[in-house]
Amino acid sequence: YNFGATSKYLEQPYNSNLNFLQNSSNSYTVMAWGATTDSSAGWKPLISLDYWNDNKKWFCGALDKMSLHGGAIGNTILETNQLYFMCWVRNGSTGTNYAYLNGRLDGTNTDGATAAANQTLIIGARHANGAISTVPGGGITDGSHWGQAALIRISAGYTDADMVRRIYNEERKLFMP
C-alpha cells in the first residue's frame, strides 16, 4: 500500500479476534514490510491498537529504530524510504519481546503493554490520547510517517528466530528481485 497525500492511514473496525493482544501473558507475532518517510526519533506507529491512557499504548512501529509501545526496541537506525521487513514477537510465558529487522534479531525488551479493548486497529497512525472508538473515524494522530506498507499481519502465538528468517528470505523475493 502506498500512502498518498490524503490517505495517511488505514483503519479497521474493532475485531474481537485480536483480543489476545489484551493480555501480556499471551504470545503473539506481528510482521510487516514498511518504509518510513521520517528519520527523526519521533513516534511512527505502523500498527496500533491503543488509546494511550491507562497504559494501553500497544503499537509496533519506529522511532529512529524499531519501536514497541512507544519505546525503542531495535538497535539499527532506519533509513528513510528504505523498505524493511519488521517483525515483533512476544513470548508471553517469559515476558520477552523480540524485534527482527530483515530477518535478524535487532533487539529485545520486556515491556508488557497490552492492547486497548474495543478499539479499532490502525495502520500508519495511532489513536489520539484518550480516544476510544469501535468504528473507524475516531481521533487519529501521529500519521504521515510511512510511505509504504505491505503484508501486514498479526497472529497469536510465538514465532521463533529460524521461522522469522525463513519468512523474510521467501518474502524478500517479492520486493528485492
Side-chain angles (χ1 to χ4, degrees):
Y1 183 82
N2 286 316
F3 293 96
T6 57
S7 300
K8 299 296 183 188
Y9 66 92
L10 300 170
E11 189 172 14
Q12 176 190 42
Y14 167 69
N15 180 345
S16 63
N17 291 325
L18 296 176
N19 284 353
F20 63 88
L21 297 170
Q22 297 173 23
N23 185 329
S24 64
S25 64
N26 289 337
S27 297
Y28 62 80
T29 301
V30 178
M31 294 182 188
W33 287 83
T36 182
T37 59
D38 179 356
S39 62
S40 74
W43 289 345
K44 293 176 273 302
L46 179 58
I47 305 156
S48 66
L49 196 57
D50 70 329
Y51 60 77
W52 221 253
N53 291 348
D54 193 29
N55 294 322
K56 301 300 183 189
K57 302 176 182 177
W58 191 91
F59 86 66
C60 300
L63 299 168
D64 56 342
K65 305 168 186 168
M66 285 180 69
S67 68
L68 182 65
H69 314 136
I73 185 174
N75 291 300
T76 303
I77 300 291
L78 301 177
E79 296 179 32
T80 59
N81 302 311
Q82 172 69 43
L83 190 62
Y84 291 100
F85 173 77
M86 294 173 278
C87 180
W88 299 264
V89 177
R90 171 137 182 104
N91 184 329
S93 61
T94 66
T96 303
N97 303 307
Y98 302 87
Y100 295 90
L101 185 65
N102 291 341
R104 289 192 247 176
L105 183 64
D106 196 49
T108 63
N109 73 18
T110 55
D111 184 328
T114 58
N118 303 318
Q119 191 66 295
T120 61
L121 177 75
I122 300 177
I123 306 296
R126 70 173 180 89
H127 289 93
N129 291 350
I132 298 174
S133 179
T134 58
V135 296
I140 306 295
T141 190
D142 289 332
S144 305
H145 300 295
W146 295 92
Q148 298 176 359
L151 301 176
I152 298 166
R153 59 234 123 138
I154 302 170
S155 60
Y158 176 81
T159 303
D160 67 27
D162 182 58
M163 181 59 76
V164 170
R165 187 172 31 263
R166 290 189 313 181
I167 291 169
Y168 165 71
N169 284 330
E170 285 300 314
E171 291 182 358
R172 73 182 181 156
K173 297 171 190 173
L174 299 170
F175 305 104
M176 302 172 205

